[in-house]
Amino acid sequence: KTTPRRINNWEEEKLTMSLASLPEILQPKEEDIQMMLSAGVHTGTRNSDSAMEEYIWRRRNDGVHILNIGKTWEKLVLAARVVVAIENPEDVIAISARPYGMRAVLKFAHYTGSQSIAGRFTPGTFTNQITKQFKEPRLLIVTDPRTDSQAVREASYVNLPVIAFCDSDSPLQYIDVAVPANNKGKYSIGLLYWLLAREVLRLRGTVSRATDWDVPVDLFFHRDVEELKKNEEEQAAKAEEQAAAAAAAAAAAAAPAFEEAIMTSGEPVVDPATLVDAPAAPAASGFDAAPAADPAYTSWEGDQGAAAASDW
């Protein structure tokens, strides 16, 4: 009778067993746990690998395995400490062949100063010195051990330590630090790389633990090209609607002012732009024309006065 109760208690305490081993300063906040739950970091697959049994908390009724978030946080902190131990940040390479992890890998490399390979991994990058893409890193971070199997295999040839985000069915061969998490969802992958980058910067002393990191997690999420185009079209349509509404409001506001000016002045207000110069009146002709003034003509009184003066 006591055995099932012990198993249930052990399952309930299993989430906090990993967190108890960490110092208080490395303990996660409630916001971090809520973000991980909302992003589906704890959601696994229907299949499971024998090596991942210690990271699986339980199995739901629909057959999906649930990962232990306590183990996930513990391994995230361990992975951040491994990354910080590399003196030169450029000796760390983050790889993601999965489309959902390409943007996260690029952002992680940007904020931590490491290198990144987003997309197809060229065989021979770590082993063939003749290739142009030949690199000699000291640490490899992998999004999915199954899709990035070529990089993991070449890392084993050159004794390169590997950090990998592993789902419930991921193989752990040649993996040194396995972070149990959902490596198939775009929100989960983006959040994992964001948490890892933030922890790396905190351990380096670049970001304070007392304040929140000013970089939003949305920058690490995958963005579909079609969704971006659709959002741009929606924003353009909204801008056009706002411009049309503003023009209509301006026209409606100008009409009452024009009518008010007519009523207050009592005289019709004419737009100067509509005014047209009146044509000049035609010159009068015939009997209607006024007689032209003759410069030699003088009045009778003037003639009489001039004659009288000449006589004297």
Side-chain angles (χ1 to χ4, degrees):
K1 294 181 181 180
T2 57
T3 302
R5 185 166 51 194
R6 287 181 181 177
I7 292 176
N8 292 334
N9 291 337
W10 179 76
E11 289 179 348
E12 293 175 358
E13 295 175 359
K14 193 175 180 181
L15 288 171
T16 58
M17 286 175 59
S18 301
L19 301 179
S21 61
L22 294 175
E24 184 178 358
I25 194 172
L26 298 179
Q27 294 288 338
K29 297 181 181 179
E30 185 178 357
E31 298 176 357
D32 300 332
I33 300 299
Q34 290 180 354
M35 291 174 63
M36 295 172 69
L37 290 175
S38 61
V41 175
H42 63 292
T43 306
T45 60
R46 296 180 182 273
N47 301 326
S48 64
D49 192 88
S50 59
M52 290 292 296
E53 289 182 357
E54 59 176 319
Y55 302 115
I56 297 175
W57 177 45
R58 65 184 181 88
R59 190 175 185 180
R60 295 191 312 201
N61 295 332
D62 57 355
V64 177
H65 294 83
I66 303 299
L67 301 174
N68 188 351
I69 286 190
K71 290 282 187 180
T72 303
W73 181 264
E74 181 185 14
K75 287 303 187 73
L76 270 176
V77 174
L78 177 60
R81 294 172 63 184
V82 173
V83 174
V84 174
I86 305 299
E87 298 178 358
N88 187 7
E90 294 184 356
D91 290 339
V92 180
I93 294 184
I95 294 179
S96 176
R98 190 182 295 276
Y100 285 168
M102 293 181 182
R103 183 179 177 87
V105 163
L106 295 174
K107 292 297 182 181
F108 175 82
H110 171 72
Y111 289 107
T112 60
S114 60
Q115 300 184 38
S116 63
I117 299 178
R120 181 180 180 273
F121 177 80
T122 303
T125 301
F126 299 151
T127 56
N128 191 355
Q129 299 180 1
I130 302 177
T131 58
K132 296 181 180 179
Q133 298 86 2
F134 177 72
K135 297 180 180 180
E136 292 181 304
R138 296 184 57 190
L139 180 64
L140 180 64
I141 302 177
V142 171
T143 304
D144 188 354
R146 195 178 299 278
T147 57
D148 301 321
S149 59
Q150 180 65 28
V152 174
R153 183 174 296 275
E154 290 191 11
S156 67
Y157 296 158
V158 295
N159 296 328
L160 184 64
V162 178
I163 299 173
F165 296 112
C166 301
D167 213 331
S168 60
D169 59 347
S170 298
L172 298 185
Q173 189 178 13
Y174 308 129
I175 303 298
D176 298 284
V177 179
V179 181
N182 178 11
N183 58 11
K184 297 176 177 59
K186 62 179 180 179
Y187 298 113
S188 176
I189 295 175
L191 179 61
L192 288 171
Y193 274 103
W194 183 81
L195 292 173
L196 183 60
R198 187 188 66 174
E199 192 64 27
V200 168
L201 296 179
R202 284 180 174 180
L203 291 176
R204 289 177 180 172
T206 307
V207 178
S208 175
R209 293 184 181 274
T211 58
D212 295 336
W213 194 22
D214 56 353
V215 177
V217 68
D218 298 345
L219 294 179
F220 287 71
F221 291 157
H222 171 74
R223 296 182 180 180
D224 193 4
V225 179
E226 296 180 357
E227 293 180 359
L228 292 177
K229 291 182 179 179
K230 186 182 295 184
N231 293 335
E232 291 178 358
E233 293 177 356
E234 292 178 356
Q235 292 178 0
K238 289 181 180 179
E240 292 179 358
E241 292 178 359
Q242 292 177 358
F258 186 75
E259 296 177 357
E260 183 179 358
I262 296 176
M263 297 177 63
T264 54
S265 62
E267 297 179 358
V269 179
V270 182
D271 190 359
T274 61
L275 291 179
V276 180
D277 295 339
S285 60
F287 295 100
D288 296 336
D294 188 0
Y297 174 79
T298 55
S299 63
W300 184 82
E301 295 178 356
D303 294 341
Q304 292 293 331
S310 61
D311 292 343
W312 291 97

